[in-house]
Amino acid sequence: MNRFRQSAAAVLLLCMMACGTARVCAHPTAFIQDFRAGYAGARPESPTFFEKLGAAFSGAEHAVDSAVSRCTPLITLYGGFQRLVGCEIVQDANAENNVVRLKNGKLNFIARDAVPGDPSENAARLDAFAADAALQGIPTLFVLAPQKICKYEDVKPAGAIEFGNENSDRFLSLLETDSLDLRPAFYQDAPGGHDACFFNTDHHWTPEGAFFAFQQIAAQLEDSYGFQISAEITDRMNYETSLYPKSFLGSQGKRVGPWYAGMDDFSLLLPIQDSQGFSFEIPHKQVVRTGSFEDAFIFSEMLQTNNNYYGNPYVAYTGGDYPLSIARNDGLTDGKTILLIRQSFSCALAPFLARACKELHIIDPRYYEGSIQDYAADLRPDLILVLYAASDTCNDALFRPLTQ
């Protein structure tokens, strides 16, 4: 068996070299441009000969990495080679990350030079934002979604260092704003356990994981914020599943190819009794979708791709990451209004949350260019819900816009 693996690895290595050479020869202009960009970025002012030589090596490495990233067959071969030789930490073309194969077989990005973060400033920003909203009578709830690396299990391979859960624990200990930590519920109560709620080749939770998160949030909305949410909306038995087998190659899978960790199944969860009266507006695109839950929130075209490297079925729910989007539920005439401040985990969660309120205004602070504080003051929602993942608590791009 070992001899077979060695022979197969050698064949794959030769194929990679041939494919890479063919790629460079077929697109010499792009290779030269990438080399020059890498060289310029690494070359200091008034360089010595050896500094020029080092910059040249950096330029060549940048050009090769860029060529590889544009050649999906080469990525597939590269991933297959890494799997055959048993590599669990794969260097990514992005110099900041590695792709790590966890002990449960799932892939995740981990920073190449990870160090513990300091979330104190982000906690202070969120507290200041919530305090400003409270002056206007608007409560704020921070929801911490679990990251793919479980807090309660040792799933990282030897040599992989990551501090997402530790940073989140520190963040929550500093935070004065009301919070809901979903990590214990996912570990103790989620169907199939924490790992089953995440894709193999992508860092996001599955639609089933997003729905479980919605159930926990809905319970908190009822218990603490006066929401009245029908059991029909939160009961998983009232949703049917449309399964798309082996149709999703996630963000990490795209970096190492399907021969390294396979393909993910993807599912659509749709209400069995799907009523009319929903709308979903994307103002900057001048898009308004109306009708049933499926009509408004499911972008089925995202499921129809012939190239796994370029498709993204995950955003079949709500279509992607937008600066601002607005969901309305005309069937819930006495419902409440929520302002959801989010990152990409909420793509799959927002449609379910939209069934539990009359209006759901959704802002992604990474892209929204206006004042979130002003938007909240003008909207005067019944609740501001901030939902970030455990890997996000040191991410300034998500917290800084809250107080700008």
Side-chain angles (χ1 to χ4, degrees), residues 122-133 174-178 402-403:
N122 285 341
R125 286 167 173 156
L126 179 55
D127 281 337
F129 174 79
D132 180 75
L174 297 168
L175 193 67
E176 297 178 1
T177 304
D178 290 345
L402 297 179
T403 52

Side-chain angles (χ1 to χ4, degrees), residues 92-230:
D92 186 43
N94 183 334
E96 296 181 358
N97 294 320
N98 290 322
V99 176
V100 174
R101 183 180 178 86
L102 303 175
K103 292 178 181 178
N104 55 22
K106 295 176 180 288
L107 305 183
N108 204 63
F109 282 135
I110 289 182
R112 195 164 293 181
D113 298 310
V115 295
D118 180 5
S120 57
E121 188 171 359
N122 285 341
R125 286 167 173 156
L126 179 55
D127 281 337
F129 174 79
D132 180 75
L135 292 175
Q136 303 169 65
I138 306 169
T140 300
L141 173 65
F142 175 73
V143 178
L144 183 72
Q147 65 175 15
K148 193 174 188 177
I149 297 175
C150 181
K151 173 183 176 179
Y152 306 101
E153 294 182 345
D154 178 19
V155 296
K156 290 177 286 190
I161 302 173
E162 191 271 345
F163 298 98
N165 284 305
E166 291 85 347
N167 292 338
S168 295
D169 290 340
R170 173 67 173 157
F171 177 88
L172 292 176
S173 73
L174 297 168
L175 193 67
E176 297 178 1
T177 304
D178 290 345
S179 62
L180 172 63
D181 185 356
L182 294 178
R183 293 176 297 173
F186 267 73
Y187 180 65
Q188 298 167 4
D189 303 319
H194 175 280
D195 291 347
C197 293
F198 289 85
F199 292 108
N200 290 334
T201 68
D202 194 81
H203 57 286
H204 292 107
W205 51 26
T206 63
E208 291 82 359
F211 186 83
F212 179 75
F214 162 65
Q215 291 175 311
Q216 311 312 303
I217 294 170
Q220 186 81 357
L221 297 182
E222 290 187 298
D223 292 344
S224 302
Y225 300 98
F227 281 65
Q228 296 181 354
I229 302 174
S230 169

Side-chain angles (χ1 to χ4, degrees), residues 314-329:
Y314 177 73
V315 296
Y317 291 89
T318 65
D321 299 326
Y322 309 116
L324 171 68
S325 53
I326 303 168
R328 293 184 172 90
N329 180 358

